[in-house]
């Protein structure tokens, strides 16, 4: 921050310079990472709460950094969003998730696994040719549209709603489904969601955390689940860490869940119930 006197000003200039250099370096590094294919995917199971059978997986990106090792999204997704690199990364994630998923479906015809969920950043969603990218990725990988669930955030839906609704309709016309991610962290309401052409609501972990200890929180989640079902939305509860939470959500009629209680994000060869002829991962 700006200090007093000359020394403070100089320090401020130096800090600004350093911050700018770091941003530039990050930008360059992210673009190199795309070209050199340094990104990898883990997959976290999404299960049926009643019997814990796997119904889907969420693709979660990691950066295999040549010097720093394996980096989670918190280290780079925000910077990638700011620099625009997230568009290239997102395109890669989409194609790789569908490629891997098609392989699983082909090798495991009897699996209960029905879909792969892919995170789409606001910036990526707003590119003019996003629906074309989705169509291409499906065609290139031979994946069926119903295998794909696109996760978009609540905040995206709130800005420029008419445009977003039109884009969502075009995507769903391809046969893919759409989820609202992190529901409850923004400001949207269920009555607002009613106008949104979406299929799935992912209830944020912060909503689930207290359901066993707060009667109010339990009541709130119960009401959201009931209302969602009345709006024909499927509900996925995120961040389930305890058996008690699974039981409570199941009793509310919530059908799906995701969280460390069932499984952490896994390497492709470690998904339970799938043939595991994959290369070793770092
Ligand atoms: P998200 O979409 O809400 O994904 C769920 C995050 O919660 C994942 O973190 C997952 O590992 C973590 N998680 C799952 N179950 C539990 C649990 O029981 N307890 C706790 N404490 N955490 C749990 P991860 O992989 O670090 O990803 C963080 C965020 O980065 C994601 O949050 C998503 O917003 C973003 N992200 C990940 N992959 C992509 C991607 O391919 N594209 C974009 N645009 N964003 C991505
Ligand atoms: Ca997500
Ligand atoms: Ca989420
Ligand atoms: Ca989240």
């Amino acid at each position: 921050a700006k200090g007093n006197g000359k020394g403070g000003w100089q320090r401020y200039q130096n800090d600004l310079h350093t911050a700018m250099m770091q941003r530039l370096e990050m930008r360059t590094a992210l673009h190199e990472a795309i070209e050199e294919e340094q990104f990898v995917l883990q997959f976290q199971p999404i299960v049926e709460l009643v019997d814990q059978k796997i119904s889907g997986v969420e693709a979660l990106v990691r950066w295999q950094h040549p010097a720093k090792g394996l980096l989670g999204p918190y280290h780079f997704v925000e910077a990638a969003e700011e620099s625009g690199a997230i568009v290239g990364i997102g395109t890669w994630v989409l194609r790789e998730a569908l490629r891997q998923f098609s392989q699983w479906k082909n090798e495991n015809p009897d699996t209960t696994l029905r879909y792969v969920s892919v995170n789409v950043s606001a910036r990526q969603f707003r590119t003019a040719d996003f629906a074309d990218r989705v169509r291409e990725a499906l065609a290139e990988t031979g994946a069926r549209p119903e295998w794909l669930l696109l996760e978009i955030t609540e905040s995206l839906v709130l800005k420029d709603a008419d445009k977003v609704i039109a884009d969502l309709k075009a995507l769903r016309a391809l046969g893919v489904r759409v989820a609202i991610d992190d529901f409850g962290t923004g400001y949207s309401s269920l009555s607002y969601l009613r106008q949104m052409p979406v299929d799935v609501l992912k209830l944020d972990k912060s909503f689930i955390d207290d359901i066993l200890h707060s009667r109010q929180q339990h009541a709130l989640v119960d009401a959201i689940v009931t209302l969602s079902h009345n709006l024909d939305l499927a509900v996925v509860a995120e961040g389930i860490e305890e058996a008690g939470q699974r039981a409570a959500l199941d009793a509310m009629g919530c059908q799906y869940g995701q969280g460390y209680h069932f499984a952490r994000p896994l390497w492709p060869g470690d998904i339970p119930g799938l043939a595991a002829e994959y290369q070793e991962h770092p």
Side-chain angles (χ1 to χ4, degrees):
K2 268 181 263 193
N4 305 314
K6 263 196 210 156
W9 175 250
Q10 188 58 53
R11 206 170 322 120
Y12 173 64
Q13 288 290 309
N14 288 343
D15 288 353
L16 261 188
H17 183 73
T18 309
M20 209 172 72
M21 289 307 291
Q22 277 171 350
R23 260 210 302 280
L24 261 174
E25 274 168 32
M26 186 62 156
R27 244 183 129 113
T28 315
L30 283 168
H31 280 102
E32 267 175 26
I34 297 173
E35 296 200 337
E36 290 170 20
E37 297 184 39
Q38 292 169 4
F39 293 104
V40 289
L41 294 181
Q42 286 192 318
F43 295 87
Q44 187 178 31
I46 297 168
V47 306
E48 298 250 7
L49 289 180
V50 65
D51 55 10
Q52 308 198 25
K53 275 204 185 111
I54 191 167
S55 64
V57 284
E58 178 174 3
L60 295 161
V61 71
R62 280 87 180 84
W63 181 3
Q64 188 67 64
H65 192 284
K68 296 178 190 162
L70 195 68
L71 301 177
Y74 291 111
H75 291 95
F76 63 89
V77 162
E78 210 182 302
E81 181 91 25
E82 274 169 26
S83 78
I86 196 69
V87 177
I89 297 170
T91 302
W92 178 84
V93 168
L94 182 64
R95 197 183 308 115
E96 176 57 16
L98 289 174
R99 188 203 60 74
Q100 178 64 78
F101 195 80
S102 298
Q103 186 185 335
W104 280 329
K105 288 298 268 189
N106 292 333
E107 292 175 357
N108 302 270
D110 298 329
T111 179
T112 58
L113 186 58
R114 288 184 284 109
Y115 65 91
V116 61
S117 219
V118 174
N119 292 285
V120 179
S121 86
R123 189 148 174 182
Q124 182 188 2
F125 186 88
R126 289 184 188 283
T127 54
D129 55 1
F130 179 63
D132 293 335
R133 292 287 91 80
V134 173
R135 201 177 312 112
E136 280 167 19
L138 291 167
E140 281 169 23
T141 58
R144 292 201 214 145
E146 63 266 28
W147 292 349
L148 179 61
L149 180 66
L150 297 170
E151 299 195 3
I152 62 173
T153 59
E154 214 175 350
S155 52
L156 170 82
V157 165
L158 290 176
K159 255 201 312 192
D160 204 359
D162 290 345
K163 171 88 169 71
V164 171
I165 290 174
D167 291 344
L168 288 174
K169 283 187 176 155
L171 285 166
R172 286 172 92 223
L174 297 176
V176 309
R177 295 185 308 146
V178 180
I180 301 287
D181 200 3
D182 301 342
F183 182 81
T185 55
Y187 298 94
S188 64
S189 63
L190 277 165
S191 66
Y192 187 84
L193 268 192
R194 189 169 52 90
Q195 308 163 34
M196 288 291 150
V198 297
D199 307 277
V200 177
L201 192 140
K202 295 192 79 176
L203 256 183
D204 192 68
K205 175 175 186 301
S206 58
F207 265 73
I208 308 305
D209 281 343
D210 283 339
I211 54 167
L212 295 181
H213 310 108
S214 156
R215 230 161 44 87
Q216 285 93 335
Q217 198 60 24
H218 186 284
L220 191 58
V221 170
D222 199 355
I224 292 174
V225 170
T226 304
L227 270 166
S228 301
H229 289 164
N230 287 335
L231 297 174
D232 289 326
L233 292 165
V235 180
V236 178
E238 300 191 281
I240 298 177
E241 295 184 343
E242 298 172 47
Q245 292 171 329
R246 187 214 64 82
L249 287 157
D250 183 32
M252 289 178 203
C254 179
Q255 209 180 344
Y256 303 101
Q258 181 177 358
Y260 294 169
H261 171 64
F262 308 109
R264 300 211 162 222
L266 304 168
W267 293 117
D270 298 336
I271 312 285
L274 297 182
E277 281 180 61
Y278 302 96
Q279 66 208 62
E280 288 276 309
H281 237 290

